[in-house]
Amino acid sequence: MKAVLDDPTIISLAAGFTANEILPLAPVQSIVNTIIDQPARGQNALQYGSTIGRNRLRQSILTRISEQDQLTLGPNGWDESQVAVTTGSQELLYLLGEILLDPDDYVLLELPTYFVFMGILHGLGAKGHSIPTSPDGLDIDALDRTLKVMEERGTLERLKFFYLVSYHQNPTGYTLPFENKRAVHERMDRVSQKLGRPVFIIEDAAYRDLGFHGDAPRSLLSIDQGKDLVVYTSTFCKPFSSGLKLGYGILPRLLADHLLRQKGNLDFGSSNFTQAIIEEALENGAYQEQAQVCSRRYQEKMEIMAEALQQQLPSDVSWQKPGGGLYIWATLPSHIPTSMNSPFFDACLRRKVLYVPGDLCCFPDEDNPSIPHSSIRLSFGAASPEQITEGIARLGQAYQDISSASRSASMIPGTF
Amino acid sequence: MKAVLDDPTIISLAAGFTANEILPLAPVQSIVNTIIDQPARGQNALQYGSTIGRNRLRQSILTRISEQDQLTLGPNGWDESQVAVTTGSQELLYLLGEILLDPDDYVLLELPTYFVFMGILHGLGAKGHSIPTSPDGLDIDALDRTLKVMEERGTLERLKFFYLVSYHQNPTGYTLPFENKRAVHERMDRVSQKLGRPVFIIEDAAYRDLGFHGDAPRSLLSIDQGKDLVVYTSTFCKPFSSGLKLGYGILPRLLADHLLRQKGNLDFGSSNFTQAIIEEALENGAYQEQAQVCSRRYQEKMEIMAEALQQQLPSDVSWQKPGGGLYIWATLPSHIPTSMNSPFFDACLRRKVLYVPGDLCCFPDEDNPSIPHSSIRLSFGAASPEQITEGIARLGQAYQDISSASRSASMIPGTF
């Protein structure tokens, strides 16, 4: 496997990397020169910052989200003490896990969900239940059944949060409809009141700024006004530059205080220099422009991948075009497993193309047998248009390899 | 207290910030332009990196330390898989704590020691014993007594590591003599053999590159060859730019693997852009030059602080010039406590000067009553020469205030 991965001719549609060809070289260079040409400003950027992040950056973040989501600011609403800047949104998710979870605590997640976060949850000894999601949204009936079962078993009192990737989700590309957000918030609010403590909703909006059509629903923050149940997390990595490695969160006050203490232990602040760059990019419009450049580019690449899927894979492979983000989620017929030890994965390795198996995108949940064994996540983020076309062609060939092997095997019973 | 801290006329000799006036504006600007002017290189720097850090950066780090400490490289020695780049050395210390410690595990620390690390240890539920250190070095007899007591109590088997700040220590400015390092290594090696698992020595060399005289002893790595007991941690924050927020560690192989997994959960890599800047600075010599600029400047400031202490404080306040770093450790007569609720701290607040109380630099250890109640840490890093002179003058006035109050009180029994 390692030999295959080191092979430069392999095409990876697995990695969640961003597109090299549109990285904001000129804007970053110009911003760094602007900052350093003013000595006091340059000194400020090259000096330690504060644990929670630069003030102006946090204000810009809050202003931007408050406009998108019609949030009330000030004493009766949000203020910048609730905004934290972190080393990518990953550090924020990690800190939230550390603050909120004890071993054997429960979380709710989408099925499928962002698989890297599960590493954190495993490390903390958390248990979870998965709620199926689809292009139409989250299965709210399944959520209600799960909450009922948890209550009957006495595990509801250990429920700490529901983690949702709400825009152009990793791995499916689906966007959670606003009505679903209302329904989830209503349930978590009810459970919170029952338990006498908040059961949070962590809304991971990492792909929000990578929409293709500009019609995304408002965030859960817009529903939460005053309830203090919603943690909103996002990142500047995907829509600007992953090399600057900055993310942020908007948190309920109590949680912001805990986070600040824990981040004080962890690193007492992310790079102040890269924060100064993003701060200027938000103020001079370079960020917003770059996010649009990214969205247009990813839409082009998505269309190229969709066209190739249309041509290269049979109609029993189902998928749909996402409205944003970096991923297409495709589901093969249920008799073709896609896991890392499956014949299809092997065939893809032989054809030199990589994908993320669907079963990796699913938190182990003994109650839920509907693991996406036959699904795959395909990323159109980092690969070039030629690689995307060729990669999907190879995927189609691998599919043919498996089908013929399966047919041959069925003619010679006992050999397959 | 907050009102005082927000007062712009207060002089802080407490903060461990670095000197604004010598931050490497021109070198960083030139390096960023060099990197971005080459599109492929710029794209690489603005893209995600790897979890453990940039390869060339890690190679440069290892080459540099191997030359300083005469380390064997290659299959029979160290290689770059043992070098990890982190968001400041703080993230590395945090990760080491998480990997190595379970609640009620024991650590050994110097008395006094770096107080921020204690926040991590507390958070992890660790217990500790403190070994007194002085300008002459660590009290090895005290170490032996502590190890004996731990063995008798059955707590030795829970000992996980000894944490040492070995060069121009925070808070004392003392440098650990090489013979002390040998003695510590010999003890930890013996305990490791007894327990059948490594008891590590974490050597925090954060201030190594800020020496004033260029005669620092070799690190513990030079003693460890092949034993795999030493974790060496350091930072680019103090000798180059704290705004870039990068540190690094050289670790035993087994520990490097664990660290990589945990850092994969935490952030899957520190900013690749700031790493690219430091990588170039090490290769073109800008780092080495800047470290010398810093050392010279801190030596000047240290001399200014020493001169002011000589003039402004009575001879019953003891201190000595450090050979590097950012701090002078001063000890007042034992009847003058310096803690945050002490009359002296209050007098300093009234006189508008801040220091770090000695008792904060000490891990709570029920066996050890020798808490530095009357010591203070004074930083000459961030303050200007004028602020240093004025700050020490205020300290002297506060000392006078306390002494006169004490004299008045002794004349009117019961009122003080």
Side-chain angles (χ1 to χ4, degrees):
Chain A
M1 176 91 183
K2 190 178 178 313
V4 175
L5 290 178
D6 287 342
D7 180 348
T9 65
I10 203 158
I11 292 177
S12 176
L13 303 175
F17 275 35
T18 48
N20 256 329
E21 68 275 15
I22 49 165
L23 283 165
L25 300 190
V28 169
Q29 185 168 26
S30 156
I31 287 171
V32 168
N33 283 316
T34 300
I35 291 172
I36 295 188
D37 281 340
Q38 303 163 62
R41 201 170 162 194
Q43 285 173 0
N44 171 283
L46 289 176
Q47 180 62 271
Y48 281 118
S50 65
T51 299
I52 199 164
R54 292 174 71 83
N55 287 342
R56 270 173 57 182
L57 173 57
R58 292 186 297 122
Q59 281 160 5
S60 289
I61 289 169
L62 189 58
T63 302
R64 196 160 172 274
I65 304 292
S66 72
E67 286 165 3
Q68 290 177 332
D69 291 339
Q70 294 153 42
L71 305 184
T72 307
L73 300 187
N76 299 317
W78 283 266
D79 65 51
E80 69 264 20
S81 73
Q82 299 175 258
V83 183
V85 179
T86 50
T87 308
S89 54
Q90 183 73 16
E91 188 197 24
L92 181 57
L93 293 172
Y94 182 87
L95 286 168
L96 288 170
E98 289 224 319
I99 292 167
L100 295 174
L101 295 175
D102 291 313
D104 298 327
D105 276 350
Y106 278 78
V107 301
L108 297 173
L109 308 112
E110 291 159 296
L111 175 67
T113 189
Y114 173 49
F115 60 96
V116 176
F117 188 47
M118 298 191 297
I120 298 175
L121 297 173
H122 277 299
L124 293 166
K127 297 178 174 177
H129 292 295
S130 297
I131 313 299
T133 194
S134 75
D136 300 327
L138 199 70
D139 184 341
I140 300 294
D141 291 339
L143 171 60
D144 286 335
R145 284 193 301 274
T146 296
L147 292 173
K148 188 152 177 289
V149 167
M150 289 183 76
E151 187 165 9
E152 286 162 7
R153 290 182 187 160
T155 55
L156 189 64
E157 62 193 29
R158 302 221 61 165
L159 179 61
K160 293 299 176 67
F161 61 79
F162 196 159
Y163 172 71
L164 293 164
V165 187
S166 55
Y167 297 92
H168 322 303
Q169 194 223 30
N170 179 358
T172 62
Y174 306 157
T175 290
L176 202 64
F178 192 70
E179 279 316 304
N180 267 197
K181 295 187 183 186
R182 274 199 197 286
V184 168
H185 191 274
E186 191 269 328
R187 268 67 172 180
M188 293 305 107
D189 188 21
R190 204 168 55 199
V191 177
S192 299
Q193 286 177 32
K194 188 187 204 85
L195 298 181
R197 62 155 175 85
V199 175
F200 296 102
I201 309 163
I202 300 178
E203 177 171 22
D204 183 340
Y207 302 91
R208 184 177 192 179
D209 288 350
L210 293 182
F212 304 152
H213 312 298
D215 56 352
R218 280 180 286 139
S219 79
L220 272 147
L221 290 170
S222 70
I223 300 168
D224 196 47
Q225 317 261 3
K227 294 280 190 184
D228 274 2
L229 296 183
V230 174
V231 183
Y232 179 93
T233 75
S234 195
T235 181
F236 298 110
C237 288
K238 313 284 185 191
F240 194 74
S241 161
S242 46
L244 302 182
K245 202 58 182 279
L246 289 178
Y248 61 93
I250 300 175
L251 302 101
R253 280 192 174 75
L254 186 67
L255 214 48
D257 292 343
H258 281 292
L259 186 94
L260 187 59
R261 266 197 299 278
Q262 192 70 1
K263 187 164 165 62
N265 281 338
L266 200 164
D267 58 20
F268 51 84
S270 300
S271 165
N272 196 34
F273 184 63
T274 61
Q275 287 186 58
I277 294 172
I278 295 282
E279 180 179 278
E280 175 65 21
L282 278 169
E283 290 182 14
N284 76 7
Y287 171 79
Q288 294 80 346
E289 198 174 311
Q290 178 64 20
Q292 285 181 18
V293 168
C294 289
S295 299
R296 281 196 298 271
R297 181 63 176 165
Y298 291 131
Q299 186 171 17
E300 287 165 15
K301 286 186 168 186
M302 181 277 287
E303 293 289 355
I304 291 166
M305 183 176 274
E307 174 71 20
L309 283 168
Q310 188 69 40
Q311 292 185 359
Q312 305 286 349
L313 285 167
S315 59
D316 57 4
V317 176
S318 65
W319 52 275
Q320 68 165 38
K321 288 186 186 179
L326 302 176
Y327 311 108
I328 289 180
W329 180 252
T331 300
L332 281 58
S334 60
H335 66 276
I336 304 183
T338 56
S339 63
M340 288 185 73
N341 56 9
S342 68
F344 181 67
F345 193 86
D346 273 349
C348 285
L349 279 187
R350 280 194 303 273
R351 293 288 185 177
K352 297 192 180 177
V353 61
L354 283 177
Y355 61 81
V356 173
D359 61 351
L360 294 184
C361 305
C362 166
F363 194 81
D365 173 357
E366 63 200 40
D367 293 349
N368 201 322
S370 62
I371 291 167
H373 284 301
S374 296
S375 294
I376 62 179
R377 188 194 80 172
L378 299 168
S379 171
F380 46 83
S384 68
E386 298 70 29
Q387 287 173 323
I388 290 172
T389 306
E390 172 63 18
I392 298 296
R394 293 180 187 179
L395 205 73
Q397 289 156 357
Y399 190 91
Q400 292 304 324
D401 296 343
I402 290 298
S403 307
S404 355
S406 170
R407 274 194 302 276
S408 318
S410 67
M411 287 184 289
I412 313 166
T415 63
F416 194 74
Chain B
M1 174 93 183
K2 193 181 175 312
V4 175
L5 290 178
D6 287 342
D7 179 348
T9 65
I10 204 159
I11 292 177
S12 176
L13 303 175
F17 276 36
T18 49
N20 256 329
E21 68 273 17
I22 49 165
L23 283 164
L25 300 190
V28 169
Q29 184 168 28
S30 156
I31 288 170
V32 169
N33 283 317
T34 299
I35 291 172
I36 296 190
D37 281 339
Q38 303 164 65
R41 203 172 161 193
Q43 285 173 1
N44 170 283
L46 289 175
Q47 180 62 270
Y48 282 118
S50 65
T51 299
I52 198 164
R54 293 174 71 83
N55 286 341
R56 270 173 56 183
L57 173 57
R58 292 186 297 123
Q59 281 159 6
S60 288
I61 289 169
L62 189 58
T63 301
R64 195 159 172 275
I65 304 293
S66 71
E67 285 165 3
Q68 289 178 330
D69 291 339
Q70 294 154 41
L71 304 184
T72 307
L73 299 187
N76 300 317
W78 283 265
D79 64 51
E80 67 265 20
S81 73
Q82 299 176 257
V83 183
V85 179
T86 51
T87 307
S89 54
Q90 183 73 16
E91 188 197 25
L92 182 57
L93 293 173
Y94 182 87
L95 286 168
L96 288 170
E98 290 223 318
I99 293 167
L100 294 174
L101 295 175
D102 292 312
D104 298 328
D105 276 350
Y106 278 79
V107 301
L108 296 173
L109 309 112
E110 291 159 294
L111 175 68
T113 189
Y114 173 49
F115 61 95
V116 176
F117 188 47
M118 295 190 300
I120 300 175
L121 297 173
H122 277 299
L124 293 166
K127 296 180 174 176
H129 292 294
S130 296
I131 312 299
T133 193
S134 74
D136 299 328
L138 199 70
D139 184 341
I140 300 295
D141 290 339
L143 171 59
D144 286 335
R145 284 193 300 274
T146 297
L147 292 173
K148 189 153 176 286
V149 166
M150 290 183 75
E151 187 165 9
E152 286 162 6
R153 291 181 187 162
T155 54
L156 189 64
E157 61 193 29
R158 301 220 64 165
L159 178 61
K160 292 300 176 67
F161 61 78
F162 194 158
Y163 172 71
L164 293 165
V165 187
S166 55
Y167 297 92
H168 322 301
Q169 194 224 30
N170 179 355
T172 60
Y174 305 157
T175 289
L176 202 65
F178 192 71
E179 279 316 305
N180 267 197
K181 296 188 182 185
R182 273 198 196 286
V184 169
H185 191 275
E186 192 268 331
R187 267 66 170 183
M188 293 306 108
D189 188 21
R190 204 168 54 199
V191 177
S192 299
Q193 285 179 31
K194 186 185 205 90
L195 299 179
R197 62 157 176 85
V199 175
F200 295 102
I201 308 162
I202 300 178
E203 177 171 21
D204 183 340
Y207 302 90
R208 185 177 192 179
D209 287 351
L210 293 182
F212 303 152
H213 311 297
D215 55 352
R218 280 180 284 139
S219 79
L220 272 146
L221 290 169
S222 70
I223 300 168
D224 196 48
Q225 317 263 2
K227 293 280 189 183
D228 274 1
L229 296 184
V230 175
V231 182
Y232 180 92
T233 76
S234 195
T235 181
F236 298 110
C237 288
K238 312 284 183 192
F240 193 73
S241 161
S242 46
L244 302 182
K245 201 63 184 273
L246 289 177
Y248 61 93
I250 301 175
L251 303 100
R253 281 193 173 73
L254 184 67
L255 212 50
D257 292 344
H258 283 290
L259 186 96
L260 187 59
R261 268 197 297 278
Q262 192 70 1
K263 188 165 165 60
N265 282 338
L266 199 164
D267 57 21
F268 51 83
S270 300
S271 164
N272 197 34
F273 184 63
T274 60
Q275 286 186 59
I277 295 171
I278 295 282
E279 179 179 279
E280 176 64 20
L282 279 169
E283 290 183 12
N284 76 8
Y287 171 78
Q288 293 80 345
E289 200 175 310
Q290 178 64 20
Q292 285 180 19
V293 168
C294 289
S295 299
R296 279 196 299 270
R297 181 63 175 162
Y298 291 132
Q299 185 171 17
E300 286 165 17
K301 288 186 169 186
M302 181 277 287
E303 293 288 355
I304 290 165
M305 183 175 275
E307 174 73 19
L309 282 168
Q310 187 71 40
Q311 291 184 1
Q312 306 286 348
L313 285 166
S315 60
D316 58 4
V317 178
S318 64
W319 53 274
Q320 68 165 39
K321 289 186 187 178
L326 302 176
Y327 311 108
I328 289 180
W329 180 252
T331 300
L332 282 58
S334 60
H335 66 276
I336 305 183
T338 55
S339 63
M340 288 184 73
N341 56 7
S342 68
F344 181 66
F345 193 85
D346 274 348
C348 284
L349 279 188
R350 280 196 302 273
R351 293 287 185 178
K352 299 194 179 177
V353 61
L354 283 176
Y355 62 81
V356 172
D359 62 352
L360 294 184
C361 304
C362 164
F363 194 80
D365 174 357
E366 62 199 42
D367 293 350
N368 202 320
S370 63
I371 292 168
H373 283 301
S374 296
S375 294
I376 62 179
R377 189 194 79 172
L378 299 168
S379 172
F380 47 84
S384 68
E386 297 71 29
Q387 287 172 322
I388 291 172
T389 305
E390 173 61 20
I392 298 297
R394 293 181 187 179
L395 206 74
Q397 288 155 357
Y399 190 89
Q400 292 303 325
D401 296 343
I402 289 297
S403 305
S404 355
S406 171
R407 274 195 301 275
S408 320
S410 67
M411 289 184 288
I412 314 166
T415 61
F416 195 73

